[in-house]
Amino acid sequence: MSSDAMSGIVEAILASDNLINIPALANKEEQKNMNKSVKEGKIMAKNEPSHKEKGCENTIKRKGIILERLDTSRKEDIREANVQIMTLSIVCPGRPEIELSHPFISSPKDCLFTLKEGTKYRLKFSFRVSDKVVSGLKYENTLWKAGVRVDRSTVLLGNFKPHEKPYGYQLEEETLPCGILVRGVYTARAKVTDDGGKCYMDIQYHFDIKKTWPSSP
């Protein structure tokens, strides 16, 4: 075989090797680019929140809004009914109304008022309700004589909604007993409470029952 022929065979082999190696080099370059893209994709995936994480964030936000609304409603529910006693008086037929004005300064030696035995009387008072409906409002009255409890009564007044103008209320008419044993000084305690036990008035005063009315009523 001539040298020219040998040279042609070698060149052909080299040429065929080049044709084979060029795609391989291209694949390696593409592989590097693919690896780089995969790595960048993984990094971006880590930095960006997933659909699941976004769903959790939305759920947390919704819960936050609900809790805020609950807090607002809870604050509104915290408001309590307020009952203010405006006036308190004793009404006896044919006699001037006896007003028990604040403050209720009274002692056994300085009675707040005097009633005649056998007299008919009723308790009258006015009060204002604000902020919220008051339910189960009731009046309690307890009497003592010489340290011994002689009477205790409770009157259910009812439910009252807030109102700008005061409510007026009169208890049923009662009659004082007669006799020497009835006369004397009494201690009274009057309370106004609701069905939740909240107290709006708690006063204690002294009065006496005599055979006749005082000369200057």
Side-chain angles (χ1 to χ4, degrees):
M1 183 179 291
S2 66
S3 61
D4 292 337
M6 284 292 292
S7 298
I9 293 170
V10 170
E11 287 176 0
I13 293 171
L14 291 173
S16 63
D17 289 342
N18 288 337
L19 288 172
I20 295 170
N21 288 336
I22 288 170
L25 290 172
N27 288 336
K28 288 181 180 179
E29 192 67 28
E30 289 177 359
Q31 187 67 30
K32 288 181 181 179
N33 292 333
M34 287 177 64
N35 291 338
K36 185 177 179 181
S37 299
V38 170
K39 288 180 180 179
E40 290 178 354
K42 288 182 178 179
I43 292 171
M44 290 177 66
K46 288 182 179 179
N47 292 334
E48 293 181 358
S50 64
H51 291 291
K52 186 176 181 181
E53 289 174 343
K54 288 181 180 179
C56 291
E57 289 178 0
N58 293 334
T59 302
I60 291 171
K61 288 179 181 179
R62 287 196 299 270
K63 286 183 178 180
I65 295 171
I66 293 171
L67 288 173
E68 287 179 1
R69 290 176 179 175
L70 288 175
D71 288 340
T72 303
S73 62
R74 194 176 293 116
K75 287 178 182 178
E76 292 178 354
D77 291 339
I78 287 176
R79 293 189 311 162
E80 295 182 351
N82 184 29
V83 179
Q84 181 182 4
I85 307 300
M86 308 298 293
T87 61
L88 183 64
S89 58
I90 305 293
V91 179
C92 300
R95 303 288 299 182
E97 192 170 311
I98 303 171
E99 292 187 6
L100 311 181
S101 58
H102 293 279
F104 296 96
I105 301 173
S106 180
S107 67
K109 293 182 179 181
D110 185 20
C111 292
L112 206 57
F113 57 90
T114 298
L115 297 176
K116 177 187 175 184
E117 61 180 3
T119 298
K120 293 182 179 180
Y121 73 98
R122 71 172 67 231
L123 183 69
K124 173 185 174 183
F125 56 93
S126 63
F127 56 92
R128 179 180 287 122
V129 178
S130 59
D131 296 337
K132 199 174 181 180
V133 174
V134 60
S135 60
L137 197 66
K138 60 183 177 181
Y139 171 81
E140 301 176 37
N141 188 64
T142 308
L143 290 178
W144 292 270
K145 184 181 180 184
V148 178
R149 191 177 73 184
V150 294
D151 185 57
R152 184 176 184 179
S153 60
T154 300
V155 179
L156 182 61
L157 307 179
N159 305 330
F160 300 89
K161 63 181 181 180
H163 201 274
E164 292 182 1
K165 295 182 179 180
Y167 289 96
Y169 203 97
Q170 292 190 34
L171 302 185
E172 292 184 3
E173 189 176 71
E174 297 185 31
T175 302
L176 290 173
C178 299
I180 191 172
L181 297 177
V182 174
R183 301 168 199 158
V185 177
Y186 290 80
T187 300
R189 185 181 183 184
K191 294 176 64 178
V192 174
T193 59
D194 61 18
D195 57 4
K198 184 176 180 180
C199 184
Y200 303 101
M201 183 187 75
D202 188 355
I203 60 172
Q204 183 171 304
Y205 58 92
H206 301 271
F207 69 96
D208 61 355
I209 297 177
K210 293 185 176 181
K211 188 175 182 178
T212 59
W213 288 105
S215 55
S216 55

